[in-house]
């Protein structure tokens, strides 16, 4: 039974709303940013021991970034048969399980599912990943409130078309290509590549390394058709693996091998910016350093970390209630800081303008009205003034 796990945030005209808080008639923003009213919301709940013994209802966890950069934006949980949009096709979540970034949730005492029906099949934006809206494949009766659907259809006089919004892939070479792509993102190296020779001179360069991403190129002149398997290390700890097999136009022009020797890896977990890091990229087989490695990432001062805090992004990814809570917390922290510094009457204009800008950005992105507090604030973009 395809469904979203309780707590999943769906993109709507009001922002990201937990699926259990949606109501019939609410407008979701289906991809690509198309407002569509909810026609019906199916509900189903399971409890132990049924949740312990039936793998067909155990949720699949898709970790943040498992599909692509920022997709999903945070962990997403769906039922095993819920179709996820990957590489232009729909794939049931249980077909994507790799045991690292996409895995089955275990030992749940209670499982609550919700699904959203629109006037036609569409892609819902769930935690910034794309997932299919409800399509009646003969399983409507499994929901606790199936009778509400017929009533909704009579009220709205809708005749849904049950064709999917994208091709469905459940097996075959296309599924294997998708699984291989997701495995590489997870740092899982196929056995066929691991068995190829990796010896000899290592040519290439570590071009970029920060707290989130690592990129560059690597090539084995003695085995020009073999992609290099690389390990990323933070000191002595291995924090990721990647294959240097991405096409590079500059390598093609330079006549280097097949030109498919680039690599780019988004780390599964961002490095702590408050700590010193020694980031290395080495050949997995013998720990030979790639030229340009290691790189030292110095600890960032507290002020710099605060200046890089993306309040607008946080506002876009939060509900209205969370925005209010965030504003209250920020003002409390400002008051504490003012007290520590002995500032008896510190101005709050910077904070107010930052929040106004964030809410204005949120309004433009979502097409929702801006809160009155933001509407009365200056619309001028805040320019942070760094201490000289």
């Amino acid at each position: 039974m395809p469904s979203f796990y309780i707590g999943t945030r769906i993109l709507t005209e009001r922002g990201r709303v937990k699926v259990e808080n949606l109501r019939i008639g609410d407008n979701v923003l289906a991809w690509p940013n198309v407002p569509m009213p909810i026609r019906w919301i199916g509900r189903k709940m399971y409890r132990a021991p049924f949740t312990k013994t039936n793998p067909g209802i155990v949720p699949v966890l898709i970790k943040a970034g498992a599909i692509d950069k920022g997709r999903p934006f945070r962990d997403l949980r769906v039922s095993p048969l819920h179709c996820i949009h990957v590489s232009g096709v729909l794939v049931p979540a249980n077909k994507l399980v790799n045991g690292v970034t996409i895995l089955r949730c275990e030992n749940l005492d209670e499982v609550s599912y919700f699904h959203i029906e629109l006037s036609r099949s569409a892609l819902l934006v769930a935690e910034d990943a794309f997932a299919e809206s409800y399509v009646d494949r003969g399983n409507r009766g499994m929901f606790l409130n199936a009778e509400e659907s017929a009533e909704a259809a009579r009220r709205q006089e809708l005749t849904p078309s049950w064709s999917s919004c994208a091709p469905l892939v459940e097996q075959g070479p296309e599924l294997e290509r998708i699984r291989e792509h997701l495995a590489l993102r997870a740092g899982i190296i196929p056995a066929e590549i691991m068995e190829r020779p990796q010896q000899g001179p290592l040519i290439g360069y570590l071009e970029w390394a920060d707290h989130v991403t690592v990129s560059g190129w690597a090539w084995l002149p003695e085995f020009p058709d073999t992609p290099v398997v690389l390990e990323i290390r933070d000191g002595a700890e291995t924090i990721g693996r990647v294959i240097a097999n991405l096409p590079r136009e500059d390598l093609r022009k330079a006549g280097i091998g097949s030109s498919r020797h680039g690599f780019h890896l988004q780390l599964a977990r961002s490095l702590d910016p408050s700590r010193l890091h020694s980031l290395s990229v080495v050949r997995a087989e013998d720990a030979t350093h790639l030229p340009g490695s290691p790189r030292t990432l110095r600890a960032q001062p507290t002020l710099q970390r605060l200046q890089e805090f993306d309040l607008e992004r946080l506002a876009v990814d939060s509900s209205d209630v969370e925005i209010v809570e965030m504003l209250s917390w920020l003002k409390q922290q400002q008051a504490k800081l003012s007290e520590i510094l002995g500032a008896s009457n510190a101005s709050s204009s910077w904070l107010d303008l930052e929040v106004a800008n964030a809410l204005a950005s949120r309004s433009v992105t979502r097409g929702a009205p801006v809160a009155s507090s933001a509407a009365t604030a200056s619309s001028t973009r805040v320019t942070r003034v760094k201490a000289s």
Side-chain angles (χ1 to χ4, degrees):
M1 180 179 66
S3 298
F4 296 104
Y5 187 70
I6 187 171
T8 301
R9 300 182 308 172
I10 306 297
L11 185 61
T12 75
E13 287 189 328
R14 295 188 285 123
R16 287 169 173 79
V17 178
K18 292 181 179 180
V19 65
E20 64 268 28
N21 294 333
L22 292 172
R23 299 293 180 265
I24 293 174
D26 286 351
N27 276 338
V28 299
L29 290 181
W31 189 84
N33 205 36
V34 179
M36 297 184 70
I38 296 176
R39 179 176 182 268
W40 175 69
I41 301 174
R43 301 188 300 272
K44 184 69 174 177
M45 178 185 291
Y46 301 93
R47 291 191 173 92
F50 195 61
T51 56
K52 310 283 188 179
T53 59
N54 191 335
I57 65 168
V58 175
V60 172
L61 167 62
I62 303 173
K63 292 186 177 181
I67 298 174
D68 205 344
K69 183 177 181 180
R71 186 173 304 166
F73 179 71
R74 68 175 193 175
D75 290 355
L76 169 66
R77 293 170 177 82
V78 296
S79 64
L81 296 180
H82 200 126
C83 286
I84 306 298
H85 191 260
V86 186
S87 300
V89 299
L90 293 167
V91 183
N94 63 352
K95 301 291 185 179
L96 302 176
V97 171
N98 58 31
V100 178
T101 58
I102 304 177
L103 55 160
R104 304 180 195 278
C105 300
E106 303 291 347
N107 300 319
L108 295 175
D109 292 325
E110 183 175 292
V111 174
S112 293
Y113 282 132
F114 300 80
H115 213 340
I116 299 171
E117 181 182 10
L118 308 174
S119 58
R120 58 178 173 81
S121 172
L123 293 178
L124 298 167
V125 183
E127 308 295 2
D128 280 11
F130 303 133
E132 190 179 25
S133 64
Y134 178 72
V135 173
D136 191 351
R137 296 189 174 98
N139 59 3
R140 189 185 298 273
M142 296 182 67
F143 290 94
L144 296 174
N145 59 328
E147 72 286 348
E148 294 178 8
S149 176
E151 179 61 27
R154 285 193 293 271
R155 287 198 309 267
Q156 300 182 35
E157 297 181 354
L158 293 172
T159 303
S161 172
W162 296 124
S163 59
S164 291
C165 57
L168 178 63
V169 172
E170 298 183 88
Q171 58 184 355
E174 189 166 9
L175 175 61
E176 292 309 310
R177 284 193 293 269
I178 291 171
R179 288 180 53 84
E180 181 177 335
H181 168 74
L182 297 180
L184 292 177
R185 283 194 59 80
I188 304 171
I189 310 301
E192 182 269 334
I193 292 179
M194 291 297 294
E195 292 169 358
R196 296 188 192 182
Q198 296 275 318
Q199 302 86 8
L202 177 61
I203 309 298
Y205 199 74
L206 171 57
E207 297 172 330
W208 180 264
D210 61 20
H211 297 86
V212 180
T213 57
V214 177
S215 61
W217 65 281
W219 179 50
L220 300 172
E222 294 185 4
F223 303 96
D225 297 325
T226 297
V228 187
V229 180
L230 301 168
E231 284 186 355
I232 291 81
R233 297 179 179 178
D234 181 16
E237 179 187 2
T238 299
I239 59 174
R241 276 192 168 194
V242 66
I243 298 177
N245 65 349
L246 299 179
R248 292 267 300 246
E249 181 64 16
D250 57 340
L251 299 183
R252 186 190 67 80
K253 290 181 179 179
I256 296 178
S258 66
S259 77
R260 299 184 64 90
H261 308 297
F263 66 89
H264 179 89
L265 178 67
Q266 181 180 6
L267 301 177
R269 179 177 298 176
S270 300
L271 299 177
D272 182 354
S274 67
R275 292 179 48 230
L276 178 71
H277 300 274
S278 178
L279 209 59
S280 304
V281 176
V282 301
R283 182 162 52 190
E285 180 167 291
D286 57 8
T288 298
H289 277 265
L290 187 68
S293 167
R295 293 282 183 91
T296 299
L297 304 180
R298 301 190 182 280
Q300 294 180 357
T302 302
L303 177 59
Q304 181 179 348
R305 298 201 305 275
L306 287 174
Q307 288 170 336
E308 293 180 357
F309 180 68
D310 192 348
L311 184 61
E312 291 183 15
R313 175 63 175 171
L314 186 60
V316 168
D317 291 318
S318 302
S319 67
D320 293 338
V321 173
E322 290 170 332
I323 287 284
V324 173
E325 293 175 346
M326 187 194 327
L327 175 59
S328 176
W329 181 86
L330 286 171
K331 289 196 172 184
Q332 290 174 8
Q333 304 314 305
Q334 183 185 31
K336 289 180 182 178
L337 183 60
S338 297
E339 182 179 350
I340 293 171
L341 297 176
S344 58
N345 189 24
S347 170
S348 63
S349 59
W350 175 84
L351 176 60
D352 291 338
L353 282 173
E354 281 291 335
V355 172
N357 286 333
L359 290 175
S361 174
R362 163 190 172 91
S363 175
V364 170
T365 302
R366 297 174 172 177
V370 182
S372 57
S373 60
T376 57
S378 169
S379 61
T380 303
R381 174 69 58 190
V382 174
T383 302
R384 293 187 176 90
V385 179
K386 296 184 179 179
S388 57

